[in-house]
Amino acid sequence: NQLNALSETSIFVIDDCDQEVTPVFTVVVTFSGDCTAFGYFERRVYTWSATDICGNEALLTFTIDIIDDVPPVFANVQDDTTVICAPLPSVPVMNITDIAMPVVTTFSETIVPGTEIGVFIVTRTWTATDACGNISTSVQTIHWIPNTFLTCEIILPPVIECNSHGVVITSAVTGGIGPYTYVWEISGEKCFIQGGQGTPAITIYVGWTDVKVILTVTDSFGCTSMCMIIVSCTDAAETGLALNLQNTHPEANQDLKPGLITSENPGDYLKKINLWPNPANENINLSFESSIDQNVEFVLMNLLGETVLKEKMEAHKGFNTKNFDVSNLLTSSYLMEVKSASEIHTKVIVLTRKD
């Protein structure tokens, strides 16, 4: 500020011939363009020229080199934050101020596992270097929890008779961070929810056909899990007749195939079904154990019940794996059905996309 205040009146001129001499003041400013090579960022040459009435001239001049040792300043420093059940936020463009332009900015990001399962520590670092080699850094730490491992299961009564009121459907929730919200949906011919919406258990009316029951559970951080089951009812009259026939002819039903087993009441054929990674990005891996050699179908559905992927494989007895390419699907939650001739198992998978 003192240098900027200099002017023609900053000095006093004395002369024997001319008592009133006003000097001419000039400032010449140059920039080095390379602080390292020249040793300065800005050079100022201050000159006062005084000429008396007789034409005698006197000069006063001096040079000041200004060295920039102030690092760049970040105008929009990013605060540390926590991101749960959501993709990482996009990397912002940093605004930087500095007198020694241009400023070169570099960015780096590291993701390492945290001390707790499912927690990742994301470190974002911006480094700014001005024309004089001054460096400043800005670091943001994000605690990223992409999944709270929330899962749900629908539990049915052992026997459901057709044309029944007050059928109690319950649920079991694991993982996640409570409290939870519950949203139930049912679809089928002549069925409806009688009570319990928003709670872990509902009562429904079941008509004469199968009913699809869907439960969406959301934890306090917005993570969601969806589970589904098919409710099949039993006609009491036909059941009684079948029992009588079986008692009369014990060997009559030896060749019957097993009935449909849902994921909430699994049989002995498909077990230990796992999906990973979850959330997934471009590929899904699925593994399971099969008690027998059998054909297995895989159906991936969106939340509207629309099929977005369907594949089959011949599973052999023992451990089996399957890989799915989902790179063309949108970011959302999906239901993966693993189906055999006698069973349906349902798993929830979340797809995310990199920015």
Side-chain angles (χ1 to χ4, degrees), residues 114-151:
T115 57
E116 299 177 0
I117 297 176
V119 178
F120 298 89
I121 306 300
V122 182
T123 303
R124 291 178 167 180
T125 304
W126 293 264
T127 302
T129 306
D130 67 12
C132 292
N134 300 301
I135 299 174
S136 62
T137 59
S138 180
V139 179
Q140 181 191 31
T141 301
I142 302 174
H143 285 76
W144 185 34
I145 307 174
N147 190 348
T148 58
F149 302 101
L150 176 68
T151 61

Side-chain angles (χ1 to χ4, degrees), residues 272-289:
K272 297 183 180 180
I273 300 173
N274 293 304
L275 280 174
W276 79 93
N278 195 358
N281 183 252
E282 295 183 349
N283 290 276
I284 299 174
N285 299 301
L286 187 146
S287 65
F288 62 94
E289 291 184 6

Side-chain angles (χ1 to χ4, degrees), residues 88 122 226 254 324:
L88 285 172
V122 182
M226 178 180 290
Q254 289 182 355
F324 304 92

